[in-house]
Amino acid sequence: SGGRNACTKCHVGFKGNSGVPTIGGQKYTYLNHTMRAFKDKERTNAGTKNAIFSGFDYETIDLMAKYLSDQK
C-alpha cells in the first residue's frame, strides 16, 4: 500500500501543489470520510487511491486522518 510515501509522492509534504490538494491540516471528518470512500470504492475518480486505501483497515484510516488533521 505504500503508507506515507504513497501520499507524499503527490501531496508533497502534505501541502499539495497547483494540481494536488493540501491534505495536512484538513478537518478530521473530511479526511476520514474521503479516505473511507476511496477504500470502499464509493469514490472512483482516482484509481491509485482506491488501490492504496484498499490495503488499510478502518482503524488505520482513522489514525491517518487524525495525524493529517494535526499537520498545520
Side-chain angles (χ1 to χ4, degrees):
S1 54
R4 178 187 172 103
N5 290 337
C7 299
T8 59
K9 189 179 285 184
C10 296
H11 298 274
V12 182
F14 305 129
K15 297 189 185 314
N17 60 43
S18 63
V20 179
T22 297
I23 56 175
Q26 291 282 0
K27 292 183 179 183
Y28 165 82
T29 53
Y30 168 77
L31 291 166
N32 191 288
H33 174 78
T34 301
M35 289 189 278
R36 284 172 178 252
F38 281 121
K39 176 180 177 54
D40 296 336
K41 294 183 175 65
E42 294 171 0
R43 187 168 173 177
T44 57
N45 63 318
T48 301
K49 290 179 189 162
N50 296 126
I52 291 168
F53 287 107
S54 70
F56 294 116
D57 60 26
Y58 294 117
E59 182 179 358
T60 301
I61 288 174
D62 291 344
L63 292 170
M64 288 189 297
K66 174 68 173 133
Y67 175 80
L68 289 168
S69 68
D70 288 342
Q71 304 305 302
K72 306 280 185 206

